[in-house]
């Protein structure tokens, strides 16, 4: 008998043993809750599915048997309270273990699960509740989440409310689960029906609701198996609040499909030392985090802990600074495997042990999609030419893993997917081996002297200077240049933010690039603005 995941996914390798393509086999009514979680619960009831900790010292181990049972009890609870297939359940649960239980329960009922960040404002919550016509909410108590979400739910008319702890108009989720039946009749769902709704920031206007179907959950296989090195018996740790799409790809669906154990640490502010102690204690086999997190881990010292069990360190979420990759490798003896993903499509390219790694590249195009680089003239770019990363239809259909579109936004959906081409809005160059080199957003490029300039490219150059810890490059409107290139710099330890250093940094950078890429001004800052997911906030300045 083959690995459990081969029930749904068949891998095909080239003569050198590198993954070449994979195909899917699943029924029209595939449902992760019944066909994966319940099956794992029956086959491996005592195997650990999750080792959970939080920054207050609490701990919980969940077996596959418990996940199957608790998710059924939660599904029965939701069903008793009137939720039915197609209803939207909004969850703001940080990284509490209950998120995974509620998510699987929602999948079993055919609900549309809308995970959101727990520290949203009342207005942010209200927009999502109203936009998605949410029927029920489940939230944590930290960070004023229940208060803000409760006020928003009042305005949006959402009567069904659960929280991890009752009161203030919320039913206690834990108490409500007690005594619920542990079996239920299967609710018939279809693989191409919506199951997940993620809100992602657009370049203009309000956040857009990205819809994914049941089959999307299987499309995370390639990244989990090859970029993150999850497998039968693996213990994989990943960062990220449950409100973000990254959780689907790094600590949920295919990690369990591979019979791996999730290592989940719940926190408000990332506690680097506590996390390293946790990884050492439980003998983690893989780590996936953002560059910001790796910076904090290296500040504490990855080499101060016994992480010899870790076979793969992976990074994503934003461009990896070259110096950070070198520091991580110096402290661990292992390379960082970088990848490129989008909320609408999941992981698209990755460096990995199986498919190789190239310095400066976000990775090799994965065999889950047909990827091309589209030039301004409508033709596809050759190796070495820049173009927009686009995904093409497969056999005339939307490929498995690609978004169904934006919620109630046919114009927005048409703008990114016309049935033949999906537009990512990201620019890149690829080489002859199909490795991508990210250049930046097509709508976030700087236009200087008539040329498009990638801020990410310039940041990579500037970060090579030992005095630069982090930097952000932007364009300022300029009468002569179109846009003048400026940089905000956070200096590294041991350096002072002086005028002399600013001149030195500009000379260091400008000596390595063409004239239209020259930085014209540097401002020193104590910190760079980031969104809740750790990404740099890029805004046009005037």
């Amino acid at each position: 008998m083959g690995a459990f995941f081969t029930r749904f996914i068949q891998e095909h390798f080239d003569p050198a043993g590198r993954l070449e393509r994979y195909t899917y086999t699943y029924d029209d009514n595939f449902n992760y809750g019944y066909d994966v979680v319940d099956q794992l619960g029956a086959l491996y009831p005592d195997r650990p599915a999750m080792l959970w900790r939080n920054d207050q010292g609490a701990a919980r181990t969940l077996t596959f048997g418990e996940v199957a049972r608790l998710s059924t009890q939660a599904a029965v609870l939701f069903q008793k309270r009137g939720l039915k297939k197609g209803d939207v359940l909004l969850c703001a649960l940080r990284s509490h273990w209950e998120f995974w239980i509620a998510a699987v329960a929602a999948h079993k009922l055919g609900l549309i699960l809308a995970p959101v960040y727990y520290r949203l404002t009342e207005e942010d919550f209200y927009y999502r509740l109203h936009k998605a016509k949410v029927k029920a909410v489940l939230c944590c108590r930290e960070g004023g989440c229940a208060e803000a979400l409760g006020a928003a739910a009042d305005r949006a008319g959402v009567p069904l409310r659960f929280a991890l702890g009752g009161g203030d108009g919320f039913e206690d989720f834990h108490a409500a689960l007690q005594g619920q039946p542990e079996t239920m009749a299967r609710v018939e769902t279809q693989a191409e029906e919506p199951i997940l709704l993620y809100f992602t920031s657009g370049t203009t206007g309000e956040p857009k609701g990205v819809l994914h179907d049941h089959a999307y959950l299987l499309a995370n296989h390639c990244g989990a198996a090859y970029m993150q090195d999850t497998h039968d018996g693996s213990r994989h740790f990943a960062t990220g609040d449950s409100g973000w799409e990254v959780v689907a790809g790094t600590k949920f669906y295919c990690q369990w499909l591979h019979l791996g154990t999730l290592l989940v640490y719940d926190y408000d502010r990332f506690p680097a030392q506590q996390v390293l102690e946790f990884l050492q204690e439980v003998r983690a086999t893989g780590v996936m985090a953002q560059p910001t997190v790796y910076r904090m881990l290296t500040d504490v010292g990855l080499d101060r802990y016994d992480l010899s069990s870790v076979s793969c360190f992976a990074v994503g979420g934003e461009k990896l600074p070259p110096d950070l990759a070198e520091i991580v490798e110096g402290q661990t003896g292992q390379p960082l495997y970088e990848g490129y993903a989008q909320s609408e499509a999941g992981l698209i390219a990755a460096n990995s042990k199986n498919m190789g790694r190239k310095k400066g590249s976000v990775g090799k195009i994965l065999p889950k999609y047909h990827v091309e680089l589209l030039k301004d003239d409508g033709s596809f770019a050759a190796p070495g030419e820049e173009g927009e990363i686009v995904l093409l239809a497969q056999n005339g259909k939307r490929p498995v893993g690609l978004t169904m579109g934006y919620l109630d936004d046919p114009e927005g959906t048409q703008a990114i997917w016309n049935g033949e081409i999906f537009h990512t809005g990201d620019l890149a160059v690829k080489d002859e081996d199909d490795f991508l080199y990210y250049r930046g957003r097509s709508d976030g490029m700087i236009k200087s002297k008539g040329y498009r300039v990638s801020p990410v490219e310039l940041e990579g150059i500037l970060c090579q200077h030992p005095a630069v810890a982090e930097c952000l490059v932007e364009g300022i409107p300029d009468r002569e240049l179109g846009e003048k290139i400026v940089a905000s710099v956070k200096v590294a330890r041991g350096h002072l933010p002086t005028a002399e250093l600013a001149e030195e940094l500009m000379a260091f950078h400008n000596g390595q690039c063409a004239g239209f890429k020259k930085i014209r001004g540097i401002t020193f800052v104590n910190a760079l603005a980031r969104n809740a997911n750790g990404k740099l906030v890029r805004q046009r300045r005037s």
Side-chain angles (χ1 to χ4, degrees), residues 41 45 60-73 101:
R60 177 76 186 258
T61 297
L62 288 172
T63 65
F64 283 116
E66 288 176 302
V67 174
R69 174 179 58 82
L70 289 170
S71 62
T72 293
Q73 289 183 291
I101 301 302

Side-chain angles (χ1 to χ4, degrees), residues 14 17 31 39 91 97 108 110 139 165 193 231 269 284 286 302 344 364 373-374 381 415 440 464 531 538:
D14 66 15
N31 183 298
Q39 291 299 309
C91 286
W97 60 264
K108 288 181 176 181
C139 70
E193 291 176 336
H231 52 270
R269 295 181 181 275
L302 288 159
E344 292 87 348
K364 187 170 185 175
L373 301 184
L374 184 65
Q464 293 175 18
N531 65 17
R538 299 183 183 278

Side-chain angles (χ1 to χ4, degrees), residues 480-494:
E480 295 181 5
L481 302 174
E483 285 187 304
K484 180 170 66 174
I485 301 171
V486 297
S488 300
V489 172
K490 176 184 175 182
V491 299
R493 291 179 181 178

Side-chain angles (χ1 to χ4, degrees), residues 459-504:
E459 288 160 6
I461 296 172
L462 196 55
C463 280
Q464 293 175 18
H465 193 285
V468 177
E470 292 181 300
C471 67
L472 176 71
V473 171
E474 301 171 287
I476 295 178
D478 184 89
R479 179 178 297 179
E480 295 181 5
L481 302 174
E483 285 187 304
K484 180 170 66 174
I485 301 171
V486 297
S488 300
V489 172
K490 176 184 175 182
V491 299
R493 291 179 181 178
H495 296 271
L496 296 176
T498 63
E500 290 77 11
L501 178 58
E503 292 294 331
E504 179 183 334

Side-chain angles (χ1 to χ4, degrees), residues 249-517:
T250 63
K251 54 180 178 182
F252 201 164
Y253 298 109
C254 283
Q255 285 74 21
W256 279 350
L257 193 70
H258 299 152
L259 299 182
T261 299
L262 303 178
L263 304 178
V264 179
Y265 209 99
D266 182 41
Y267 54 84
D268 181 22
R269 295 181 181 275
F270 183 75
Q273 182 173 332
Q274 290 173 252
V275 166
L276 286 169
E277 291 170 354
F278 173 52
L279 299 180
Q280 175 180 263
E281 172 199 344
V282 300
R283 303 297 291 167
T285 63
V287 175
M288 174 80 200
Q290 304 134 308
T292 307
V293 170
Y294 274 110
R295 185 75 72 180
M296 288 186 275
L297 293 174
T298 57
D299 282 347
V300 173
L302 288 159
D303 50 357
R304 292 178 54 200
Y305 297 83
D306 180 6
L307 301 179
S308 57
S309 58
V310 179
S311 62
C312 180
F313 291 92
V315 63
E318 61 179 281
K319 183 62 178 173
L320 175 65
D323 74 306
L324 182 58
E326 293 173 3
I327 293 171
V328 171
E329 187 164 357
Q331 291 187 3
T332 65
Q334 296 192 51
L336 265 181
Y337 292 107
E338 188 176 6
Y340 163 74
Q342 280 205 332
S343 297
E344 292 87 348
L347 193 65
I348 295 172
N351 290 285
S352 69
K353 291 182 179 180
N354 179 267
M355 288 175 282
R357 171 179 175 266
K358 291 190 179 183
K359 186 175 181 180
S361 170
V362 293
K364 187 170 185 175
I365 295 170
L366 299 176
K368 62 189 282 192
Y369 295 125
H370 179 180
V371 178
E372 296 285 355
L373 301 184
L374 184 65
K375 297 196 297 184
D376 290 341
D377 63 6
S379 64
F380 294 140
E385 294 183 329
E386 184 177 278
E388 180 196 2
I389 302 170
V390 296
L391 315 181
L392 305 188
Q394 295 176 1
N395 299 319
K397 297 180 180 180
R398 173 174 59 89
V400 175
L402 185 61
T403 179
M404 302 175 69
Y406 294 131
L407 177 68
D408 296 333
D409 187 2
E411 291 185 2
T413 300
Q414 178 68 24
I416 60 167
W417 170 247
N418 62 5
E420 297 180 0
I421 295 178
F422 172 79
H423 294 270
T424 67
D426 287 326
L427 298 174
V429 171
K430 71 175 180 178
D431 65 17
E432 63 282 354
D433 296 320
D434 280 341
F435 278 81
L436 289 180
Y437 296 81
Y438 183 70
R439 291 291 183 258
R441 290 288 299 173
S442 59
D443 47 22
M445 300 292 280
I446 299 169
K447 200 71 173 291
S448 178
K449 292 188 174 181
Y451 294 94
R452 291 192 305 180
V453 179
S454 165
V456 174
E457 178 185 359
L458 305 194
E459 288 160 6
I461 296 172
L462 196 55
C463 280
Q464 293 175 18
H465 193 285
V468 177
E470 292 181 300
C471 67
L472 176 71
V473 171
E474 301 171 287
I476 295 178
D478 184 89
R479 179 178 297 179
E480 295 181 5
L481 302 174
E483 285 187 304
K484 180 170 66 174
I485 301 171
V486 297
S488 300
V489 172
K490 176 184 175 182
V491 299
R493 291 179 181 178
H495 296 271
L496 296 176
T498 63
E500 290 77 11
L501 178 58
E503 292 294 331
E504 179 183 334
L505 294 178
M506 281 196 288
F508 172 82
H509 176 277
N510 295 344
Q512 303 182 59
C513 64
F516 66 90
K517 295 183 180 181

